[in-house]
Amino acid sequence: MNLKDFLTNREKPPEHYWSLVLEPGWVQAGLWYIKNDIAEVVSAGPASAWEEVDDLIGATDAALSSAIQKLPGDQVEPSKTVFGVSSAWVTGGEIKEQHLAVVKKVCTELSLTPVGFVVLPEAIAHLYKSEESAPLSAIIL
């Protein structure tokens, strides 16, 4: 057996990502990775309340700290973050400027790297469509 083959065939640990769900008054963090083209959730922390942007930084930090507890010890804490936002925060496929400033401040203060965002109702509809193999026929409140 060639030792070089053994070393190159070792499976790399998956890259983990943060998910941050930002809603008016609430923030929630989760930790996940992609395996075989499927997102696997490692953990999700409890929602934290916020009112002002400065409160949001502290609430987000608390949510991230809660979610990171289940990260295996040999894994590096992620910085790449996918944001889940309310449909009211988005227009024309982009986050509105006033809300984008909030996202940028969170990223700057907590050393996060934004890699994308999803609109929460659309993400929920997509999940159900994927699981049921049919379009969602429900009203989500």
Side-chain angles (χ1 to χ4, degrees):
M1 180 170 154
N2 186 351
L3 185 59
K4 185 177 178 183
D5 291 338
F6 174 74
L7 293 175
T8 57
N9 286 337
R10 291 182 60 191
E11 187 174 314
K12 290 182 5 183
E15 181 178 18
H16 286 81
Y17 297 87
W18 287 118
S19 63
L20 273 178
V21 176
L22 295 175
E23 296 182 274
W26 297 98
V27 60
Q28 186 174 18
L31 192 59
W32 57 281
Y33 63 93
I34 297 173
K35 181 178 182 180
N36 299 328
D37 295 331
I38 298 174
E40 299 282 338
V41 177
V42 175
S43 69
S48 297
W50 66 280
E51 291 181 25
E52 302 295 323
V53 176
D54 292 332
D55 298 337
L56 176 60
I57 303 300
T60 302
D61 191 33
L64 293 170
S65 295
S66 177
I68 196 77
Q69 298 302 316
K70 292 186 180 176
L71 182 68
D74 62 337
Q75 298 294 311
V76 177
E77 182 176 332
S79 66
K80 292 181 179 177
T81 309
V82 176
F83 290 87
V85 296
S86 165
S87 56
W89 282 33
V90 177
T91 185
E94 294 186 11
I95 298 176
K96 293 178 183 176
E97 195 60 42
Q98 74 258 26
H99 300 297
L100 188 58
V102 171
V103 171
K104 286 180 180 179
K105 181 167 178 132
V106 168
C107 290
T108 301
E109 294 286 328
L110 299 175
S111 301
L112 301 174
T113 304
V115 293
F117 75 94
V118 296
V119 179
L120 294 173
E122 292 174 15
I124 292 168
H126 179 74
L127 172 68
Y128 278 103
K129 180 180 177 183
S130 298
E131 289 180 349
E132 301 292 327
S133 299
L136 180 66
S137 59
I139 297 173
I140 300 174
L141 301 174

